[in-house]
Amino acid sequence: MHTFLRLSVVSIFVSQMANAVPTDTDPAGFSHAYQEYNQAVKANNQTDIITYARQAYELGAVKFGVDSLDSAKLAINWANAIVEQSKQKNSGRVVQDNQVEKAQQLFEFALGVYRQLLTENDIDIIDPLIGVAQTTADDAYANKVLFEAIEIAQKSDHELTVAEVKTLAFYRLTGTEFYTRTVRNFAVDAYEIYVRKLPENAIKRVNATYLYGALNEAMGKHTKAIDALVEVIKQYQALPYSHPHELRAHALLVDIYQKRGQRDKATEHCVAIGKMTPWSEQQEQTPLFRTPPDYPMSYVSRGKSGWVKLQFTVDEQGFVQSPQVLESKGGSLFEKESIEALSQWRYAPKFVDGKPAKGTSTVRLDFTLG
């Protein structure tokens, strides 16, 4: 029997990989399909990856038997190709559609074969469990299989696998009713494992450090957040390209330093973001730090709503200067509160010829009673 790819948790996060192509004569065309699949993976040709992963699975099921381990592994290859395509189309997210439903069916099939043919806590079972969690629309089911995957990983005594599964569980369950303190702490657990096991510039460790910093920022633990986010920026600055987490780390530090009244430190990161991102005169710039305008109490009692559109200058340090009302509806107090709030906001400055410069932008603030 040929041995195919045992899809590790790593491959689910990053890419599809494949072992050597079978060398036997194959009148049914399986070897050709599997070889083409391998070549597509090497070329990162997503369309061909899906095409040949499907062919290899369908022909492999005939060659090895539909309920064989080989067929299950080929099913996971195909399912992962579908998942990767969904992520590429949807900014890294798996979005439910007919193809993702097909991927779930493939993962479920593989899981059934693995449960039948492998021992109860075999680490290989983690692969289809994670696949099911990524593709199911049922959050309760995803929660169940992820906790099973974590338990298997922990029994395997392989800490890096534990870290990967916990990271995936954190992202999958965030925003659901199953996001608990335990799930939140999965991100902290993963970060601590990566710190122990990986060098400081390993991309998985740096990503985990960003997540750890962002969580501490959200919990108001600013000292821990600053230490982590500064480390993230240090490591990503060594890369030959700009990583989204580097940009977000700068933005989080702007927010933290502004809240702590450390405006000069916030300015450093405003300028850094301005240098990394192009300025567009035709769009409303995204503030890095903002405070909402107060709703005038006299308007609340009268049930008044409205809006204010303002024009302003962002100076070389990202401060708002000279806010002016362009249009408004609802009353002068909306204008007053809007100007006071906007004056405290921070932006990334415009860069011209490699140097920060003043730029003009607009924003509309809406006042509505919920």
Side-chain angles (χ1 to χ4, degrees):
M1 178 178 289
H2 297 293
T3 300
F4 302 107
L5 163 68
R6 185 193 80 77
L7 281 173
S8 68
V9 180
V10 178
S11 68
I12 293 174
F13 275 100
V14 184
S15 64
Q16 300 115 351
M17 302 292 291
N19 289 330
V21 179
T23 57
D24 62 318
T25 302
D26 185 3
F30 167 77
S31 293
H32 172 74
Y34 191 64
Q35 183 178 28
E36 291 296 323
Y37 165 74
N38 277 328
Q39 292 301 318
V41 169
K42 291 178 181 177
N44 196 28
N45 184 328
Q46 194 61 38
T47 300
D48 283 354
I49 289 173
I50 289 182
T51 298
Y52 291 112
R54 176 176 181 171
Q55 287 184 18
Y57 165 70
E58 292 173 345
L59 294 168
V62 174
K63 183 178 179 66
F64 305 112
V66 69
D67 292 326
S68 68
L69 278 175
D70 286 332
S71 293
K73 293 170 186 177
L74 291 166
I76 293 176
N77 284 356
W78 182 14
N80 269 335
I82 294 171
V83 167
E84 185 63 25
Q85 184 179 67
S86 182
K87 289 181 177 180
Q88 290 183 7
K89 289 181 178 178
N90 300 288
S91 302
R93 297 181 301 116
V94 179
V95 175
Q96 290 295 319
D97 58 17
N98 291 338
Q99 285 300 303
V100 171
E101 289 179 8
K102 178 62 180 178
Q104 183 185 349
Q105 293 170 8
L106 292 164
F107 284 128
E108 295 280 12
F109 156 72
L111 180 59
V113 173
Y114 278 29
R115 289 194 192 282
Q116 183 178 5
L117 300 179
L118 300 178
T119 58
E120 182 179 3
N121 292 311
D122 192 303
I123 194 171
D124 284 6
I125 296 175
I126 291 174
D127 296 330
L129 286 171
I130 286 179
V132 168
Q134 289 190 111
T135 52
T136 181
D138 185 339
D139 295 336
Y141 185 32
N143 182 71
K144 177 178 179 293
V145 296
L146 284 168
F147 271 81
E148 181 182 350
I150 290 170
E151 182 179 0
I152 293 172
Q154 289 172 330
K155 288 181 179 178
S156 76
D157 199 30
H158 192 282
E159 285 196 294
L160 289 177
T161 301
V162 173
E164 298 229 17
V165 179
K166 284 191 171 185
T167 300
L168 190 144
F170 172 86
Y171 281 116
R172 175 60 181 85
L173 299 175
T174 296
T176 74
E177 64 179 295
F178 301 97
Y179 181 74
T180 62
R181 180 177 295 181
T182 297
V183 172
R184 184 193 70 193
N185 287 340
F186 285 166
V188 178
D189 296 342
Y191 164 75
E192 292 174 347
I193 290 171
Y194 286 135
V195 168
R196 291 198 306 271
K197 294 291 185 178
L198 297 178
E200 63 180 13
N201 62 348
I203 198 71
K204 288 179 183 177
R205 173 171 167 175
V206 182
N207 286 341
T209 303
Y210 167 77
L211 182 55
Y212 177 76
L215 278 175
N216 278 287
E217 188 277 334
M219 293 186 290
K221 298 179 179 179
H222 290 165
T223 300
K224 288 184 177 180
I226 289 171
D227 290 343
L229 295 170
V230 168
E231 178 64 19
V232 167
I233 292 168
K234 171 189 169 185
Q235 296 302 330
Y236 279 128
Q237 283 179 340
L239 296 175
Y241 60 90
S242 294
H243 192 284
H245 282 174
E246 181 184 353
L247 192 66
R248 294 171 190 144
H250 281 299
L252 287 172
L253 287 168
V254 170
D255 190 77
I256 292 171
Y257 285 132
Q258 279 292 129
K259 289 176 179 175
R260 290 163 66 114
Q262 296 173 283
R263 302 178 74 189
D264 289 344
K265 286 186 174 292
T267 296
E268 293 176 20
H269 297 283
C270 288
V271 173
I273 291 172
K275 193 172 185 178
M276 293 173 65
T277 59
W279 175 282
S280 172
E281 301 283 5
Q282 283 72 47
Q283 73 180 37
E284 293 180 358
Q285 299 305 116
T286 301
L288 304 174
F289 172 82
R290 61 183 172 186
T291 56
D294 292 332
Y295 210 114
M297 292 307 298
S298 60
Y299 286 6
V300 172
S301 62
R302 292 154 60 187
K304 293 187 67 173
S305 60
W307 52 266
V308 181
K309 184 177 182 180
L310 305 105
Q311 184 180 69
F312 55 95
T313 298
V314 175
D315 71 11
E316 296 89 340
Q317 296 181 317
F319 289 103
V320 171
Q321 303 290 342
S322 307
Q324 297 179 345
V325 175
L326 297 178
E327 301 176 75
S328 71
K329 178 181 179 182
S332 60
L333 289 182
F334 285 148
E335 296 180 2
K336 175 179 177 294
E337 295 296 344
S338 295
I339 290 173
E340 288 184 3
L342 183 60
S343 297
Q344 301 175 56
W345 291 16
R346 298 298 303 273
Y347 284 80
K350 175 182 180 179
F351 266 67
V352 177
D353 296 329
K355 296 181 179 180
K358 292 182 179 180
T360 302
S361 191
T362 60
V363 68
R364 171 170 157 158
L365 301 180
D366 293 308
F367 294 81
T368 57
L369 292 170

